[in-house]
Amino acid sequence: MVATVCAITFAVLLHIVAARITARENYGSRLPAVNGSYPVRPAQRARRAQTAGWILSLFGALQLGNHFWLTQPWLAVSVMVAVLVLVNGLPSLLVTVLHNGNLRSQPQG
């Protein structure tokens, strides 16, 4: 269980790092919140961090689901889906919302 928590924690951190790199590269431009293309294509290191985050989140979700699989399979599937959505989607969405919110608060020159 310790390896699962560590994998999920590192996955969240890697997704935050990738989103911050992407937001920094797109300084002054709005980022798509859910769907769309970025004004400036994310750097290779951002894509690597996202890939590592996805791999770690898959490992963590599968291990967490395996813990419940024999007794409550529907709970296991629900937990795995929830972990994947929260770990892979929420950090990037939060960084994007903060980035786009900072653009609105900047004075137009």
Side-chain angles (χ1 to χ4, degrees):
M1 192 57 103
V2 173
T4 302
V5 172
C6 288
I8 291 171
T9 303
F10 284 129
V12 169
L13 291 174
L14 286 168
H15 281 294
I16 290 172
V17 166
R20 295 217 36 210
I21 291 169
T22 303
R24 197 175 315 124
E25 290 174 349
N26 289 285
Y27 180 78
S29 301
R30 291 187 57 79
L31 298 178
V34 177
N35 192 355
S37 61
Y38 291 102
V40 176
R41 187 173 177 205
Q44 183 90 22
R45 61 184 179 181
R47 290 192 305 255
R48 280 191 212 127
Q50 283 179 332
T51 302
W54 268 97
I55 291 169
L56 286 172
S57 70
L58 284 171
F59 172 78
L62 289 173
Q63 290 299 317
L64 197 57
N66 188 36
H67 183 70
F68 296 109
W69 185 255
L70 291 177
T71 57
Q72 300 167 324
W74 286 107
L75 176 64
V77 171
S78 301
V79 166
M80 288 189 291
V81 169
V83 166
L84 289 174
V85 167
L86 291 175
V87 170
N88 296 317
L90 193 60
S92 299
L93 182 63
L94 288 175
V95 171
T96 299
V97 167
L98 290 173
H99 173 82
N100 290 343
N102 287 339
L103 287 177
R104 246 183 271 130
S105 65
Q106 292 177 353
Q108 299 296 322

